[in-house]
Amino acid sequence: LSTAQAVEADTFGCFSKLMARRRDSFTKSLDHSCDGIMGLTRQLVELLRLKDETLHFHLEALHIPPGCYAVRWLVLMLAQDHDMPEILRIWDSLLSVSDSPPP
């Protein structure tokens, strides 16, 4: 494979892996399951409470429902909230985490 072909193949592989992980988030019948958008929103809110209690309580004190920020963060993977170098670092971290054990 040429370098360009290898990059294209790697990019497609990463995109396919990402879409496989995110697929259930976009399935209406799974909205309220752990893998659906509402379940992921609940998980994100709990993670925010554990990792950044100050922000969590600030959002609650302002009565901002999680749907106003969590769904956007989950669906767009923070792309509208950070500059490109930070997005690439975030996405690299998200793509490098695997639920399956190493071979």
Side-chain angles (χ1 to χ4, degrees):
L1 291 175
S2 71
T3 303
Q5 288 172 322
V7 168
E8 182 179 0
D10 287 346
T11 302
F12 181 76
C14 287
F15 178 75
S16 295
K17 183 177 179 180
L18 175 65
M19 289 297 104
R21 286 185 183 177
R22 307 302 297 173
R23 175 186 58 231
D24 292 343
S25 301
F26 300 100
T27 305
K28 186 169 180 57
S29 62
L30 297 175
D31 276 356
H32 295 281
S33 73
C34 290
D35 295 326
I37 196 67
M38 298 308 292
L40 290 174
T41 298
R42 285 189 297 274
Q43 291 174 46
L44 180 65
V45 170
E46 179 61 17
L47 187 61
L48 185 60
R49 187 185 67 75
L50 292 171
K51 298 294 184 177
D52 194 338
E53 194 174 83
T54 304
L55 177 58
H56 171 75
F57 287 120
H58 179 69
L59 292 169
E60 281 197 345
L62 294 173
H63 303 289
I64 299 174
C68 289
Y69 60 89
V71 172
R72 181 173 123 174
W73 290 352
L74 290 165
V75 173
L76 299 176
M77 294 174 47
L78 305 170
Q80 287 187 333
D81 302 299
H82 296 281
D83 293 328
M84 187 53 74
E86 293 152 345
I87 291 300
L88 294 176
R89 206 173 17 207
I90 291 167
W91 288 3
D92 187 50
S93 296
L94 291 172
L95 290 171
S96 66
V97 175
S98 176
D99 296 332
S100 56

